[in-house]
Amino acid sequence: MSKNIKIYIAVLVFILILILIGDYNKQKTIDWRPTYSVNDKIPYGLYVFDKEIGGILKNQKIERIPDITPYEFLDSKYNEDTLVETYTVKGTFINISQQNNLDDQSAKEIMYFVSHGNNAFLSMTNFPKTLLDSLKFEYSSNLLQTKDASVWMANKKLSSKIYKSTSDIADYFSKIDTLNTTVLGYEGNPKYKKNINFIKVPYKNGYFFLHTNPVTFTNYNLLKKDRYQYTEKVLSYIPKGDVFWYTKSPNDENISASPLRYIFSQPALKWAWYLFLIGMFVFILFNAKRKQRIVPILQPLSNLTIDFTKTIGNLYYQEGDHKNIIDKKIIYFLERIRTEYLIDTTKLDDEFVKKLQHKTGKDEKDIQELVLLINEYRNSYHGNIEADLIRINNAIEKILH
């Protein structure tokens, strides 16, 4: 493990320790979301009610409906094979939710279920439009002052006690069919202001029990002093028999199935995970370059022929054998003319000059001068041999370069 990797790991561990220390004494934030889920222990969950409903509705079979819609559940219980079409189950359908979580098809199926001599208990702050039109009621809401936030039962024989309400928002029935609707409960201030929050409405062969204060069934309310007693009084109106409780919360559909769900639910673990990802990104960013051994620089092979020629030339020159150098210069020049330009070098005359000039493009006077110097040298005319070597070499250089 390299030194840089050790440094990265040490920095990440140090930051993680700082986060854990800072989070240790931090008061956990309370989640006040109104989930109304039987799985949630937060204030507005139904975890406590789910555990206690069996003790409240004693000797009644309670069937929970967590995964399908009310329409799917009730429709599967409808028997069309008999002479008189009816449901194979009898009892009360229950739904407790902050907002209306019933689709139109489910609402119609519940009404059909009630019309066959069954019942439905719905506790929510707003109701399906299908129910409003069929049962002839309307609902509204307003803000209560703290001193007005109370709930109580209409039947004093059942209970004359007034209970403090958990919510300061009063959702109530603003209009009802007074000829057919029975008022079961109120909210507000019993001395000077009260609104209806619990009613019983007949529908064909069954009854609807409608309640606008679902917070009554939450963990926060049930664990607050004697408020559980009000919950018991409300549920006491549910007729004896089987209970079909629709427990699916709208929030349940948003619960992630990821293995990291618990990590993301805890702030300290969530930030530790983010820091880990950031640290890994930084590490990869600075170490992603390809690493390899240094490739040695190989020097190209030198042209030993040229070096050899220079060495021999210097040797002849130092020995003063200028004639030998001139002979080899002439031989090398003529050999190159024959090889590269395919010109016969037997006779160095005007015809040779013209051919060489056409193929090399050199100045004709320079070619004539070189031919003249070579012919003079060959005719044994020797003046200053060293001067002749210089002139012939310069003349050859003009033609070949």
Side-chain angles (χ1 to χ4, degrees), residues 188-329:
N189 190 309
K191 294 182 179 180
Y192 61 89
K193 182 179 181 181
K194 63 180 180 180
N195 295 312
I196 301 171
N197 74 333
F198 188 22
I199 59 177
K200 176 183 178 181
V201 186
Y203 182 72
K204 295 184 179 180
N205 297 320
Y207 291 92
F208 275 95
F209 297 87
L210 305 179
H211 186 251
T212 62
N213 198 239
V215 72
T216 299
F217 306 94
T218 59
N219 301 328
Y220 182 75
N221 186 77
L222 292 176
L223 298 176
K224 201 77 171 177
K225 296 182 179 178
D226 58 354
R227 296 182 188 178
Y228 69 91
Q229 296 176 2
Y230 174 74
T231 305
E232 293 176 343
K233 304 304 180 185
V234 170
L235 293 179
S236 67
Y237 279 100
I238 294 180
K240 294 295 181 180
D242 294 344
V243 173
F244 310 101
W245 181 17
Y246 182 51
T247 60
K248 186 175 183 179
S249 167
N251 299 76
D252 293 341
E253 298 178 356
N254 300 325
I255 295 176
S256 172
S258 170
L260 300 176
R261 182 175 67 245
Y262 179 76
I263 291 178
F264 289 131
S265 68
Q266 305 298 318
L269 293 178
K270 180 176 69 174
W271 281 107
W273 174 253
Y274 287 153
L275 284 172
F276 169 74
L277 293 180
I278 294 172
M280 288 301 297
F281 174 75
V282 173
F283 171 76
I284 293 173
L285 184 66
F286 286 99
N287 289 272
K289 296 181 180 179
R290 182 182 175 189
K291 294 182 179 180
Q292 64 178 26
R293 291 178 299 174
I294 298 176
V295 179
I297 299 176
L298 300 178
Q299 297 295 339
L301 296 175
S302 59
N303 192 338
L304 299 179
T305 302
I306 296 176
D307 293 339
F308 176 75
T309 304
K310 289 182 178 179
T311 301
I312 298 300
N314 290 333
L315 180 62
Y316 281 124
Y317 188 79
Q318 291 173 2
E319 292 293 329
D321 193 355
H322 299 138
K323 184 176 181 304
N324 196 1
I325 295 176
I326 293 175
D327 291 339
K328 287 181 169 50
K329 279 279 187 180

Side-chain angles (χ1 to χ4, degrees), residues 92-156:
T92 303
F93 176 86
I94 292 181
N95 183 30
I96 300 170
S97 177
Q98 170 71 8
Q99 300 294 330
N100 171 32
N101 61 345
L102 301 175
D103 58 274
D104 291 339
Q105 194 65 33
S106 293
K108 293 177 181 178
E109 187 65 29
I110 293 172
M111 294 182 66
Y112 197 62
F113 178 68
V114 172
S115 70
H116 281 71
N118 298 292
N119 306 287
F121 177 90
L122 306 179
S123 182
M124 53 185 66
T125 56
N126 51 40
F127 297 87
K129 189 176 184 303
T130 304
L131 290 184
L132 271 66
D133 296 337
S134 300
L135 303 183
K136 300 178 182 180
F137 71 90
E138 295 178 4
Y139 60 89
S140 184
S141 63
N142 59 24
L143 184 64
L144 291 174
Q145 296 181 2
T146 304
K147 62 179 181 180
D148 294 332
S150 301
V151 291
W152 65 95
M153 307 304 297
N155 187 353
K156 300 300 182 180

